[in-house]
Amino acid sequence: MKILTNNKKVFHNFFVSDFVEAGIALKGCEVKSVRSGGISLDESYCLVKDGEVLLKNCYIKPYDKTSSKLESDTRRSRKLLLHKAEIQKLERMVREKGFAVMPTKAYLKDGLVKIEIALAKGKKLYDKRAVLREKAIKRDIDQTLKNL
């Protein structure tokens, strides 16, 4: 499994749970661009609508070695491929409990492009500060143990 990109902002801004692996519907030149690392999940999100999950605002760089002059939209909506039961579960959680569906990682698995999505609930400012404080304390403890 080759990881293409991570979305670190999701873990900073949201409490993340229930990870799901999804395929993504891409055009041929988009696949070539993604394999060369031309994908960014920053500021992207997923929308559950009409029994489909759409990846919105995901940037895929245009493939520069293509002979066709057709430029695809770099931030177009792309369909995520999931089982019906998984889509219904995500839709229920978003509607009832106020979760959002966020992409966390893009990677290659057996030659196919996969997106890892997760249910996310927004953090308040004091939650973010508490997490940073805990990380600082853990880092200090590890450093003192290393110096002993």
Side-chain angles (χ1 to χ4, degrees), residues 11-15 121-132:
F11 295 100
H12 179 71
N13 293 327
F14 297 94
F15 292 112
K121 191 132 182 138
K123 284 185 184 178
K124 304 286 186 201
L125 183 60
Y126 56 84
D127 291 329
K128 293 177 190 178
R129 283 193 295 240
V131 169
L132 290 175

Side-chain angles (χ1 to χ4, degrees), residues 79-144:
K79 185 177 178 181
L80 294 180
L81 309 172
L82 292 162
H83 291 285
K84 191 175 185 178
E86 292 172 331
I87 294 172
Q88 290 172 347
K89 178 186 173 192
L90 291 174
E91 191 171 23
R92 186 173 54 251
M93 294 295 280
V94 167
R95 193 174 351 102
E96 292 176 4
K97 298 189 179 177
F99 282 93
V101 181
M102 302 296 286
T104 57
K105 189 187 315 183
Y107 54 93
L108 291 173
K109 182 178 178 183
D110 298 329
L112 301 173
V113 179
K114 301 288 184 176
I115 303 287
E116 182 181 72
I117 59 175
L119 287 170
K121 191 132 182 138
K123 284 185 184 178
K124 304 286 186 201
L125 183 60
Y126 56 84
D127 291 329
K128 293 177 190 178
R129 283 193 295 240
V131 169
L132 290 175
R133 190 177 312 115
E134 289 172 9
K135 284 183 183 178
I137 290 170
K138 185 178 183 314
R139 186 172 48 247
D140 291 342
I141 290 171
D142 290 343
Q143 190 174 13
T144 56

Side-chain angles (χ1 to χ4, degrees), residues 2 7 12 18 29 40 46 62 70 100 106 118 124 135 138 148:
K2 178 185 174 189
N7 193 353
H12 179 71
D18 293 340
C29 59
S40 174
C46 295
L70 296 174
K124 304 286 186 201
K135 284 183 183 178
K138 185 178 183 314
L148 290 178

